[in-house]
Amino acid sequence: MYSPTQKEGKEAMAEKDISRRAFLGKAATGIVGVAALGGTSAFLDAPQAQAASWDIGTEQDNFSCDGGESSAAPIPPLDPPSQWDEEYDIVVVGTGGGGLNATLRAAELGASVLCVEKSSRPGGTTMHSTEFNIFAGGTRLQNEAGFALPNFPFDVDAATDYFMQRYTWVDRDVMRTMIAKGPECADWMEDLGIEWEFDRNFGYQGLIVKGALDDGFYPMKAKLITDFSYNRSLDFGAGYYFETPCDGLVWDGGRVVGIRINDIYGENERYIKAGKGVILCAGGFANNRSMLREWIPMAYKSCVSSFTMPSDTGECIRMCLGLNADMDGLGSFMVYDGGLPDYEMGSGPWHHHMYSGDNQVSRQPWLLINSQGKRMPFVAASTAGNLPEEYSSLHTTIHVQPDLIMRQPGMRMYEIFDSHYDEYIYKLMQGGWSAAFEPTTPGIENLPEFIAPHDWHIAFDNAVERGAIKKADTLEELAEMVGIESQKFVAAVDRFN
Protein backbone atom coordinates (compact mmCIF):
# COMPACT_ATOMS: atom_id res chain seq x y z
CA MET A 1 0.00 0.00 0.00
CA TYR A 2 1.19 3.49 -0.81
CA SER A 3 0.76 6.54 1.33
CA PRO A 4 0.88 9.93 -0.39
CA THR A 5 4.47 10.99 -0.72
CA GLN A 6 6.43 13.83 -2.22
CA LYS A 7 8.92 13.15 -4.96
CA GLU A 8 12.39 14.51 -4.25
CA GLY A 9 14.13 16.66 -6.83
CA LYS A 10 11.06 17.80 -8.85
CA GLU A 11 11.60 18.49 -12.58
CA ALA A 12 10.97 21.98 -13.87
CA MET A 13 8.28 22.07 -15.81
CA ALA A 14 -3.92 37.51 -44.42
CA GLU A 15 -5.66 39.19 -45.41
CA LYS A 16 -8.77 40.64 -43.72
CA ASP A 17 -10.54 42.69 -46.39
CA ILE A 18 -12.77 39.95 -47.80
CA SER A 19 -15.90 40.83 -49.71
CA ARG A 20 -19.02 39.24 -48.23
CA ARG A 21 -20.11 38.53 -51.80
CA ALA A 22 -17.05 36.33 -52.27
CA PHE A 23 -18.06 33.95 -49.47
CA LEU A 24 -20.45 31.77 -51.41
CA GLY A 25 -19.87 30.09 -54.73
CA LYS A 26 -21.60 27.19 -56.43
CA ALA A 27 -20.92 24.47 -53.88
CA ALA A 28 -22.47 25.21 -50.51
CA THR A 29 -21.56 23.82 -47.15
CA GLY A 30 -23.49 24.47 -43.97
CA ILE A 31 -22.94 24.01 -40.28
CA VAL A 32 -25.79 23.48 -37.89
CA GLY A 33 -24.44 25.06 -34.76
CA VAL A 34 -25.50 26.27 -31.35
CA ALA A 35 -23.91 27.12 -28.07
CA ALA A 36 -21.77 24.58 -26.21
CA LEU A 37 -21.51 24.60 -22.47
CA GLY A 38 -17.66 24.40 -22.27
CA GLY A 39 -7.20 1.90 -13.19
CA THR A 40 -6.36 1.48 -9.77
CA SER A 41 -6.26 3.68 -6.75
CA ALA A 42 -3.23 5.28 -5.20
CA PHE A 43 -3.27 2.84 -2.36
CA LEU A 44 -2.71 0.00 -4.79
CA ASP A 45 -0.72 0.50 -7.98
CA ALA A 46 -1.33 4.11 -9.00
CA PRO A 47 1.65 6.47 -9.27
CA GLN A 48 2.73 8.30 -6.18
CA ALA A 49 2.64 12.10 -6.08
CA GLN A 50 5.16 13.53 -8.49
CA ALA A 51 6.10 16.75 -10.19
CA ALA A 52 3.74 17.82 -12.95
CA SER A 53 4.96 17.86 -16.54
CA TRP A 54 3.50 18.35 -20.01
CA ASP A 55 3.22 14.58 -20.44
CA ILE A 56 -0.46 14.11 -19.63
CA GLY A 57 -0.94 10.81 -21.39
CA THR A 58 -2.22 9.72 -24.77
CA GLU A 59 -5.69 8.48 -23.94
CA GLN A 60 -8.72 9.92 -22.24
CA ASP A 61 -9.12 9.09 -18.60
CA ASN A 62 -10.98 5.83 -18.12
CA PHE A 63 -14.04 7.54 -16.73
CA SER A 64 -16.36 9.43 -19.03
CA CYS A 65 -20.05 9.89 -19.38
CA ASP A 66 -19.64 9.60 -23.16
CA GLY A 67 -22.92 11.41 -23.55
CA GLY A 68 -24.66 8.83 -21.39
CA GLU A 69 -27.47 9.57 -18.98
CA SER A 70 -26.00 9.63 -15.48
CA SER A 71 -28.15 9.66 -12.39
CA ALA A 72 -29.23 12.97 -10.88
CA ALA A 73 -30.38 11.49 -7.57
CA PRO A 74 -28.86 12.75 -4.29
CA ILE A 75 -26.19 10.48 -2.80
CA PRO A 76 -26.95 9.86 0.89
CA PRO A 77 -24.18 10.26 3.48
CA LEU A 78 -22.34 7.39 5.10
CA ASP A 79 -22.07 6.55 8.79
CA PRO A 80 -18.61 6.73 10.38
CA PRO A 81 -16.71 3.44 10.13
CA SER A 82 -15.69 1.42 13.14
CA GLN A 83 -12.09 2.20 12.22
CA TRP A 84 -10.62 4.87 9.95
CA ASP A 85 -7.94 3.86 7.46
CA GLU A 86 -6.16 7.23 7.43
CA GLU A 87 -6.53 10.64 9.06
CA TYR A 88 -5.59 14.18 8.01
CA ASP A 89 -6.48 17.66 9.14
CA ILE A 90 -7.93 18.56 5.76
CA VAL A 91 -9.19 16.38 2.93
CA VAL A 92 -9.72 17.99 -0.48
CA VAL A 93 -11.66 16.40 -3.32
CA GLY A 94 -10.63 17.44 -6.83
CA THR A 95 -7.40 18.76 -8.37
CA GLY A 96 -8.70 21.51 -10.63
CA GLY A 97 -7.68 25.09 -9.99
CA GLY A 98 -9.83 25.34 -6.86
CA GLY A 99 -8.80 22.03 -5.32
CA LEU A 100 -5.10 22.55 -5.95
CA ASN A 101 -5.08 26.01 -4.40
CA ALA A 102 -7.15 24.82 -1.45
CA THR A 103 -4.62 22.04 -0.92
CA LEU A 104 -1.71 24.45 -1.32
CA ARG A 105 -3.11 27.01 1.10
CA ALA A 106 -3.96 24.45 3.78
CA ALA A 107 -0.52 22.84 3.53
CA GLU A 108 1.15 26.25 3.60
CA LEU A 109 -0.67 27.00 6.86
CA GLY A 110 0.71 23.82 8.40
CA ALA A 111 -2.21 21.43 8.09
CA SER A 112 -1.77 17.82 7.09
CA VAL A 113 -3.60 17.58 3.76
CA LEU A 114 -4.70 14.81 1.44
CA CYS A 115 -6.19 15.61 -1.97
CA VAL A 116 -8.00 12.85 -3.88
CA GLU A 117 -8.61 12.91 -7.63
CA LYS A 118 -10.51 10.47 -9.84
CA SER A 119 -8.33 11.30 -12.85
CA SER A 120 -4.79 10.04 -13.27
CA ARG A 121 -3.12 13.47 -13.07
CA PRO A 122 -3.57 16.88 -11.45
CA GLY A 123 -5.21 19.80 -13.19
CA GLY A 124 -8.83 18.83 -13.74
CA THR A 125 -10.79 20.73 -16.34
CA THR A 126 -8.78 23.84 -15.47
CA MET A 127 -5.65 22.27 -16.93
CA HIS A 128 -7.29 21.92 -20.33
CA SER A 129 -8.54 25.47 -20.59
CA THR A 130 -7.10 28.54 -22.19
CA GLU A 131 -5.16 30.52 -19.64
CA PHE A 132 -6.67 33.87 -18.88
CA ASN A 133 -7.70 35.23 -15.51
CA ILE A 134 -10.12 38.11 -15.45
CA PHE A 135 -9.93 40.60 -12.61
CA ALA A 136 -11.83 43.87 -12.24
CA GLY A 137 -8.76 45.26 -10.53
CA GLY A 138 -7.10 45.16 -7.15
CA THR A 139 -4.07 43.02 -7.96
CA ARG A 140 -0.64 44.53 -7.42
CA LEU A 141 0.04 44.50 -11.14
CA GLN A 142 -3.21 46.29 -11.94
CA ASN A 143 -2.73 48.84 -9.15
CA GLU A 144 0.72 49.67 -10.51
CA ALA A 145 -0.84 50.20 -13.95
CA GLY A 146 -3.63 52.36 -12.53
CA PHE A 147 -6.34 50.03 -13.86
CA ALA A 148 -9.70 49.03 -12.38
CA LEU A 149 -13.25 48.52 -13.60
CA PRO A 150 -15.34 50.57 -13.89
CA ASN A 151 -12.89 53.22 -12.68
CA PHE A 152 -9.59 53.42 -10.82
CA PRO A 153 -8.97 53.16 -7.88
CA PHE A 154 -10.41 49.70 -7.39
CA ASP A 155 -13.75 49.62 -5.58
CA VAL A 156 -15.25 46.20 -4.85
CA ASP A 157 -18.88 47.35 -4.80
CA ALA A 158 -18.56 49.47 -7.94
CA ALA A 159 -16.90 46.56 -9.74
CA THR A 160 -19.64 44.19 -8.55
CA ASP A 161 -22.33 46.51 -9.91
CA TYR A 162 -20.45 46.71 -13.19
CA PHE A 163 -20.23 42.93 -13.65
CA MET A 164 -23.76 42.27 -12.46
CA GLN A 165 -24.97 44.47 -15.30
CA ARG A 166 -22.82 42.75 -17.93
CA TYR A 167 -23.33 39.10 -16.97
CA THR A 168 -26.28 36.97 -15.98
CA TRP A 169 -25.10 36.05 -12.50
CA VAL A 170 -27.86 35.57 -9.97
CA ASP A 171 -26.10 35.82 -6.61
CA ARG A 172 -24.57 39.23 -6.00
CA ASP A 173 -22.81 38.03 -2.84
CA VAL A 174 -20.99 35.32 -4.80
CA MET A 175 -20.00 37.80 -7.49
CA ARG A 176 -18.75 40.28 -4.88
CA THR A 177 -16.72 37.60 -3.11
CA MET A 178 -14.99 36.58 -6.34
CA ILE A 179 -14.20 40.19 -7.20
CA ALA A 180 -12.85 40.89 -3.72
CA LYS A 181 -10.91 37.67 -3.16
CA GLY A 182 -9.63 37.07 -6.69
CA PRO A 183 -6.95 39.79 -6.48
CA GLU A 184 -5.88 38.52 -3.06
CA CYS A 185 -5.44 35.03 -4.51
CA ALA A 186 -3.42 36.34 -7.47
CA ASP A 187 -1.09 38.28 -5.17
CA TRP A 188 -0.75 35.30 -2.83
CA MET A 189 0.30 33.07 -5.74
CA GLU A 190 2.76 35.75 -6.81
CA ASP A 191 4.24 35.73 -3.31
CA LEU A 192 4.70 31.97 -3.67
CA GLY A 193 6.65 32.37 -6.88
CA ILE A 194 4.34 32.64 -9.88
CA GLU A 195 5.00 35.57 -12.23
CA TRP A 196 2.05 37.37 -13.82
CA GLU A 197 1.85 39.67 -16.81
CA PHE A 198 -1.02 41.30 -18.69
CA ASP A 199 -2.74 39.23 -21.37
CA ARG A 200 -2.28 41.11 -24.63
CA ASN A 201 -5.72 39.97 -25.82
CA PHE A 202 -7.50 41.25 -22.70
CA GLY A 203 -5.37 44.22 -21.80
CA TYR A 204 -5.15 45.26 -18.18
CA GLN A 205 -8.18 43.15 -17.26
CA GLY A 206 -6.52 39.80 -17.89
CA LEU A 207 -3.52 38.27 -16.12
CA ILE A 208 -1.55 35.32 -17.44
CA VAL A 209 1.60 33.50 -16.41
CA LYS A 210 4.60 35.45 -17.65
CA GLY A 211 5.76 34.13 -21.01
CA ALA A 212 2.70 31.92 -21.50
CA LEU A 213 1.82 33.44 -24.86
CA ASP A 214 5.33 33.83 -26.23
CA ASP A 215 4.42 31.21 -28.84
CA GLY A 216 1.00 32.77 -29.43
CA PHE A 217 -0.75 29.53 -28.44
CA TYR A 218 -3.66 29.74 -25.97
CA PRO A 219 -4.91 26.17 -25.40
CA MET A 220 -3.70 24.29 -22.32
CA LYS A 221 -1.86 27.32 -20.95
CA ALA A 222 -3.84 27.10 -17.69
CA LYS A 223 -1.75 24.01 -17.05
CA LEU A 224 1.06 26.40 -16.15
CA ILE A 225 -1.06 27.55 -13.22
CA THR A 226 -2.23 24.11 -12.08
CA ASP A 227 1.32 22.73 -12.35
CA PHE A 228 2.58 25.60 -10.24
CA SER A 229 -0.02 25.04 -7.51
CA TYR A 230 0.50 21.29 -7.54
CA ASN A 231 4.28 21.46 -7.29
CA ARG A 232 4.24 24.16 -4.62
CA SER A 233 1.80 22.11 -2.53
CA LEU A 234 4.25 19.20 -2.69
CA ASP A 235 6.89 21.55 -1.30
CA PHE A 236 4.66 22.06 1.73
CA GLY A 237 4.09 18.33 2.20
CA ALA A 238 0.63 17.84 0.71
CA GLY A 239 -0.32 14.34 -0.37
CA TYR A 240 -2.30 13.15 -3.38
CA TYR A 241 -4.18 10.04 -4.43
CA PHE A 242 -4.92 9.77 -8.15
CA GLU A 243 -7.38 7.45 -9.90
CA THR A 244 -9.21 7.52 -6.59
CA PRO A 245 -12.80 8.78 -6.69
CA CYS A 246 -14.57 9.98 -3.57
CA ASP A 247 -17.84 8.06 -3.51
CA GLY A 248 -19.34 9.20 -0.23
CA LEU A 249 -19.25 11.82 2.52
CA VAL A 250 -19.09 10.53 6.09
CA TRP A 251 -21.57 12.25 8.43
CA ASP A 252 -21.59 11.87 12.21
CA GLY A 253 -24.97 13.48 12.70
CA GLY A 254 -23.60 16.97 13.14
CA ARG A 255 -20.90 17.50 10.53
CA VAL A 256 -18.98 15.92 7.66
CA VAL A 257 -16.04 14.16 9.29
CA GLY A 258 -14.46 12.40 6.33
CA ILE A 259 -14.89 10.69 2.99
CA ARG A 260 -14.91 7.23 1.53
CA ILE A 261 -12.68 6.55 -1.46
CA ASN A 262 -12.49 3.70 -3.91
CA ASP A 263 -10.53 2.84 -6.98
CA ILE A 264 -12.10 3.60 -10.34
CA TYR A 265 -13.63 0.12 -10.47
CA GLY A 266 -15.53 0.67 -7.22
CA GLU A 267 -13.32 -1.73 -5.30
CA ASN A 268 -10.89 -1.45 -2.34
CA GLU A 269 -12.85 1.11 -0.36
CA ARG A 270 -11.11 3.10 2.36
CA TYR A 271 -12.33 5.66 4.89
CA ILE A 272 -10.32 8.89 5.27
CA LYS A 273 -10.95 11.00 8.36
CA ALA A 274 -10.76 14.79 8.13
CA GLY A 275 -10.09 16.23 11.57
CA LYS A 276 -10.77 19.84 10.57
CA GLY A 277 -12.82 19.61 7.41
CA VAL A 278 -13.52 18.34 3.92
CA ILE A 279 -13.23 20.75 0.97
CA LEU A 280 -15.11 19.78 -2.17
CA CYS A 281 -13.70 21.21 -5.40
CA ALA A 282 -14.83 18.51 -7.79
CA GLY A 283 -16.21 20.59 -10.63
CA GLY A 284 -19.70 20.88 -12.00
CA PHE A 285 -22.07 18.59 -13.88
CA ALA A 286 -21.84 19.77 -17.49
CA ASN A 287 -21.31 16.15 -18.58
CA ASN A 288 -24.20 14.71 -16.59
CA ARG A 289 -27.20 15.03 -18.89
CA SER A 290 -29.63 13.92 -16.20
CA MET A 291 -28.49 16.66 -13.84
CA LEU A 292 -28.71 19.24 -16.62
CA ARG A 293 -32.27 18.16 -17.35
CA GLU A 294 -33.13 18.36 -13.66
CA TRP A 295 -31.40 21.58 -12.69
CA ILE A 296 -30.65 23.63 -15.82
CA PRO A 297 -33.26 22.61 -18.40
CA MET A 298 -32.33 25.56 -20.63
CA ALA A 299 -28.81 24.17 -21.01
CA TYR A 300 -30.16 20.64 -21.45
CA LYS A 301 -32.45 21.74 -24.26
CA SER A 302 -30.40 24.36 -26.07
CA CYS A 303 -26.75 23.29 -25.75
CA VAL A 304 -25.48 20.74 -28.23
CA SER A 305 -22.27 19.65 -26.51
CA SER A 306 -20.11 20.18 -23.47
CA PHE A 307 -16.69 21.78 -23.76
CA THR A 308 -15.60 20.73 -20.27
CA MET A 309 -13.60 17.57 -19.83
CA PRO A 310 -15.55 14.32 -19.33
CA SER A 311 -14.87 14.28 -15.58
CA ASP A 312 -17.50 16.95 -14.81
CA THR A 313 -20.27 14.54 -13.80
CA GLY A 314 -21.48 16.08 -10.55
CA GLU A 315 -21.07 13.31 -7.98
CA CYS A 316 -19.90 15.61 -5.19
CA ILE A 317 -22.82 17.97 -5.81
CA ARG A 318 -25.14 14.99 -5.47
CA MET A 319 -23.39 14.09 -2.19
CA CYS A 320 -24.17 17.58 -0.89
CA LEU A 321 -27.78 17.21 -2.03
CA GLY A 322 -27.83 14.00 -0.03
CA LEU A 323 -27.10 16.13 3.06
CA ASN A 324 -30.09 18.38 2.26
CA ALA A 325 -28.00 21.10 0.69
CA ASP A 326 -29.67 23.15 -2.01
CA MET A 327 -28.68 24.50 -5.42
CA ASP A 328 -27.84 28.15 -5.99
CA GLY A 329 -26.98 30.27 -9.01
CA LEU A 330 -28.58 27.97 -11.55
CA GLY A 331 -29.22 30.87 -13.90
CA SER A 332 -25.52 31.67 -13.91
CA PHE A 333 -24.30 29.09 -16.39
CA MET A 334 -22.23 30.29 -19.33
CA VAL A 335 -21.84 28.90 -22.81
CA TYR A 336 -19.26 29.45 -25.51
CA ASP A 337 -19.58 30.65 -29.06
CA GLY A 338 -19.76 27.52 -31.15
CA GLY A 339 -20.64 23.89 -31.22
CA LEU A 340 -21.81 21.05 -33.45
CA PRO A 341 -24.83 18.91 -32.55
CA ASP A 342 -23.06 15.56 -32.57
CA TYR A 343 -24.72 14.18 -29.47
CA GLU A 344 -28.31 14.91 -30.35
CA MET A 345 -27.66 13.58 -33.86
CA GLY A 346 -26.33 10.35 -32.41
CA SER A 347 -23.03 10.82 -34.20
CA GLY A 348 -20.73 11.66 -31.31
CA PRO A 349 -20.30 12.04 -27.55
CA TRP A 350 -21.73 14.87 -25.49
CA HIS A 351 -18.20 15.99 -24.65
CA HIS A 352 -16.74 17.78 -27.67
CA HIS A 353 -13.66 19.85 -27.05
CA MET A 354 -13.73 23.50 -28.12
CA TYR A 355 -10.30 23.20 -29.79
CA SER A 356 -11.45 20.51 -32.20
CA GLY A 357 -11.08 21.71 -35.79
CA ASP A 358 -14.75 21.28 -36.68
CA ASN A 359 -15.74 23.49 -33.75
CA GLN A 360 -13.09 26.02 -34.68
CA VAL A 361 -14.45 26.26 -38.21
CA SER A 362 -17.95 26.77 -36.83
CA ARG A 363 -16.72 29.74 -34.79
CA GLN A 364 -15.68 31.80 -37.80
CA PRO A 365 -17.75 34.77 -39.03
CA TRP A 366 -19.54 33.09 -41.92
CA LEU A 367 -23.06 33.93 -43.09
CA LEU A 368 -25.34 33.14 -40.13
CA ILE A 369 -29.09 32.67 -40.57
CA ASN A 370 -31.84 31.21 -38.42
CA SER A 371 -34.57 28.80 -39.42
CA GLN A 372 -36.72 31.69 -40.68
CA GLY A 373 -34.02 32.91 -43.04
CA LYS A 374 -33.17 35.95 -40.94
CA ARG A 375 -29.55 36.96 -40.70
CA MET A 376 -27.85 36.90 -37.32
CA PRO A 377 -25.07 39.25 -36.25
CA PHE A 378 -21.67 37.74 -35.59
CA VAL A 379 -20.20 39.13 -32.37
CA ALA A 380 -17.71 36.47 -31.36
CA ALA A 381 -13.98 37.07 -31.02
CA SER A 382 -12.78 38.96 -34.05
CA THR A 383 -10.07 41.34 -35.11
CA ALA A 384 -12.72 43.79 -36.29
CA GLY A 385 -12.70 47.06 -34.39
CA ASN A 386 -16.21 48.24 -35.15
CA LEU A 387 -18.20 46.30 -32.57
CA PRO A 388 -20.45 48.19 -30.14
CA GLU A 389 -18.85 48.97 -26.80
CA GLU A 390 -20.85 46.33 -24.97
CA TYR A 391 -19.42 43.71 -27.34
CA SER A 392 -15.90 45.08 -27.51
CA SER A 393 -14.42 42.81 -24.86
CA LEU A 394 -13.02 39.55 -26.21
CA HIS A 395 -14.17 37.91 -22.98
CA THR A 396 -17.70 39.23 -23.38
CA THR A 397 -18.19 38.36 -27.02
CA ILE A 398 -17.55 34.66 -26.64
CA HIS A 399 -20.60 34.55 -24.35
CA VAL A 400 -22.80 36.97 -26.32
CA GLN A 401 -23.01 34.79 -29.42
CA PRO A 402 -24.64 31.81 -27.69
CA ASP A 403 -27.09 34.09 -25.90
CA LEU A 404 -28.24 35.32 -29.31
CA ILE A 405 -28.44 31.77 -30.63
CA MET A 406 -30.62 30.54 -27.80
CA ARG A 407 -33.12 33.29 -28.57
CA GLN A 408 -33.63 32.08 -32.13
CA PRO A 409 -36.53 29.86 -33.25
CA GLY A 410 -35.63 26.32 -32.32
CA MET A 411 -32.60 27.70 -30.45
CA ARG A 412 -30.42 27.06 -33.50
CA MET A 413 -28.46 29.02 -36.06
CA TYR A 414 -27.02 27.91 -39.37
CA GLU A 415 -23.61 28.91 -40.69
CA ILE A 416 -23.32 28.91 -44.46
CA PHE A 417 -20.07 28.93 -46.42
CA ASP A 418 -18.85 27.55 -49.70
CA SER A 419 -16.11 25.21 -50.86
CA HIS A 420 -13.49 27.94 -50.52
CA TYR A 421 -13.64 27.71 -46.71
CA ASP A 422 -10.10 26.32 -46.64
CA GLU A 423 -8.83 29.55 -48.18
CA TYR A 424 -11.03 32.00 -46.29
CA ILE A 425 -10.46 30.56 -42.83
CA TYR A 426 -6.93 31.93 -42.90
CA LYS A 427 -7.97 35.30 -44.29
CA LEU A 428 -10.53 35.77 -41.52
CA MET A 429 -7.62 36.03 -39.07
CA GLN A 430 -9.54 34.67 -36.11
CA GLY A 431 -7.25 34.60 -33.10
CA GLY A 432 -6.96 32.93 -29.72
CA TRP A 433 -8.97 29.75 -29.37
CA SER A 434 -10.80 30.27 -32.68
CA ALA A 435 -7.65 29.82 -34.76
CA ALA A 436 -7.48 26.81 -37.07
CA PHE A 437 -4.68 24.60 -35.79
CA GLU A 438 -2.04 23.13 -38.04
CA PRO A 439 0.74 20.65 -37.21
CA THR A 440 3.14 23.60 -37.54
CA THR A 441 1.23 25.85 -35.12
CA PRO A 442 3.72 26.99 -32.44
CA GLY A 443 3.00 25.21 -29.16
CA ILE A 444 0.72 22.60 -30.75
CA GLU A 445 2.85 19.82 -29.25
CA ASN A 446 1.41 20.74 -25.83
CA LEU A 447 -2.13 19.91 -26.98
CA PRO A 448 -2.66 16.13 -26.77
CA GLU A 449 -4.10 14.58 -29.91
CA PHE A 450 -6.87 12.90 -27.89
CA ILE A 451 -8.23 16.36 -27.07
CA ALA A 452 -8.15 17.69 -30.63
CA PRO A 453 -6.34 16.73 -33.84
CA HIS A 454 -3.36 18.93 -34.57
CA ASP A 455 -4.63 19.41 -38.13
CA TRP A 456 -8.06 21.05 -38.21
CA HIS A 457 -8.83 19.43 -41.57
CA ILE A 458 -9.03 16.01 -39.90
CA ALA A 459 -11.78 17.03 -37.48
CA PHE A 460 -13.60 18.99 -40.18
CA ASP A 461 -13.62 16.07 -42.62
CA ASN A 462 -14.78 13.72 -39.86
CA ALA A 463 -17.65 16.09 -39.04
CA VAL A 464 -18.73 16.10 -42.69
CA GLU A 465 -18.58 12.30 -42.80
CA ARG A 466 -20.74 11.86 -39.70
CA GLY A 467 -23.22 14.52 -40.78
CA ALA A 468 -22.56 17.18 -38.16
CA ILE A 469 -21.50 19.48 -41.01
CA LYS A 470 -23.86 19.24 -43.98
CA LYS A 471 -22.46 19.38 -47.51
CA ALA A 472 -24.46 19.79 -50.71
CA ASP A 473 -23.99 20.80 -54.35
CA THR A 474 -26.82 23.32 -54.35
CA LEU A 475 -28.45 25.68 -51.87
CA GLU A 476 -31.76 23.88 -52.35
CA GLU A 477 -30.22 20.56 -51.34
CA LEU A 478 -28.53 22.15 -48.35
CA ALA A 479 -31.82 23.73 -47.24
CA GLU A 480 -33.46 20.31 -47.25
CA MET A 481 -30.60 18.82 -45.25
CA VAL A 482 -30.80 21.41 -42.48
CA GLY A 483 -34.60 21.53 -42.45
CA ILE A 484 -35.19 25.10 -43.61
CA GLU A 485 -37.82 25.94 -46.21
CA SER A 486 -35.91 26.09 -49.48
CA GLN A 487 -37.41 29.39 -50.66
CA LYS A 488 -36.51 31.16 -47.39
CA PHE A 489 -33.05 29.65 -47.37
CA VAL A 490 -32.12 30.58 -50.93
CA ALA A 491 -33.64 34.04 -50.56
CA ALA A 492 -31.57 34.66 -47.42
CA VAL A 493 -28.35 33.65 -49.15
CA ASP A 494 -29.18 35.74 -52.22
CA ARG A 495 -29.94 38.75 -50.03
CA PHE A 496 -27.00 38.60 -47.66
CA ASN A 497 -24.27 37.09 -49.83
Side-chain angles (χ1 to χ4, degrees), residues 223-497:
K223 190 174 186 299
L224 298 171
I225 297 177
T226 58
D227 283 358
F228 170 84
S229 298
Y230 174 68
N231 289 325
R232 289 296 280 135
S233 70
L234 295 181
D235 292 337
F236 288 107
Y240 290 84
Y241 282 155
F242 295 106
E243 295 183 333
T244 307
C246 166
D247 66 359
L249 300 177
V250 180
W251 175 260
D252 69 357
R255 60 185 289 265
V256 174
V257 293
I259 65 172
R260 186 177 70 184
I261 58 176
N262 259 303
D263 62 25
I264 56 177
Y265 302 109
E267 302 173 351
N268 301 299
E269 70 179 28
R270 293 172 66 82
Y271 285 83
I272 310 297
K273 185 175 182 179
K276 296 183 177 180
V278 173
I279 301 175
L280 300 178
C281 297
F285 54 88
N287 284 302
N288 186 323
R289 295 279 293 162
S290 294
M291 291 187 73
L292 288 175
R293 185 177 60 236
E294 176 77 15
W295 295 103
I296 314 180
M298 181 65 175
Y300 175 81
K301 186 175 182 181
S302 62
C303 295
V304 299
S305 66
S306 165
F307 281 168
T308 68
M309 296 305 289
S311 55
D312 264 5
T313 47
E315 288 83 1
C316 280
I317 294 175
R318 294 167 56 206
M319 293 175 198
C320 293
L321 294 174
L323 285 165
N324 296 319
D326 205 348
M327 289 286 197
D328 187 27
L330 292 178
S332 301
F333 78 100
M334 282 188 173
V335 290
Y336 286 94
D337 64 336
L340 298 176
D342 292 298
Y343 175 72
E344 65 181 30
M345 293 174 56
S347 60
W350 173 246
H351 163 71
H352 192 166
H353 207 281
M354 64 189 300
Y355 304 143
S356 183
D358 47 354
N359 271 336
Q360 288 171 313
V361 172
S362 75
R363 303 164 85 194
Q364 308 297 323
W366 311 112
L367 172 60
L368 311 182
I369 63 173
N370 66 16
S371 61
Q372 304 305 305
K374 295 181 179 180
R375 184 179 179 180
M376 286 186 53
F378 185 89
V379 296
S382 168
T383 54
N386 58 352
L387 295 176
E389 188 279 330
E390 63 267 28
Y391 295 155
S392 62
S393 165
L394 187 61
H395 183 231
T396 301
T397 58
I398 61 176
H399 301 299
V400 170
Q401 190 76 33
D403 286 344
L404 293 176
I405 295 168
M406 288 189 289
R407 288 169 171 79
Q408 302 304 309
M411 293 180 286
R412 292 292 182 271
M413 73 174 183
Y414 303 85
E415 296 197 283
I416 316 301
F417 50 89
D418 71 7
S419 57
H420 298 289
Y421 65 88
D422 199 333
E423 171 189 357
Y424 287 132
I425 195 171
Y426 298 102
K427 294 182 179 181
L428 290 171
M429 298 294 288
Q430 289 294 96
W433 46 87
S434 296
F437 295 152
E438 298 276 7
T440 56
T441 299
I444 192 69
E445 66 276 2
N446 292 329
L447 180 69
E449 288 269 13
F450 71 78
I451 291 179
H454 290 180
D455 187 338
W456 69 270
H457 298 85
I458 295 174
F460 180 87
D461 291 342
N462 287 341
V464 173
E465 183 178 350
R466 66 180 183 267
I469 296 176
K470 307 295 185 183
K471 182 178 181 180
D473 292 328
T474 68
L475 291 173
E476 289 79 5
E477 292 176 9
L478 189 59
E480 183 177 356
M481 285 183 176
V482 300
I484 299 179
E485 183 182 328
S486 177
Q487 187 174 357
K488 289 182 180 179
F489 187 84
V490 175
V493 174
D494 287 343
R495 179 183 179 189
F496 298 118
N497 185 25

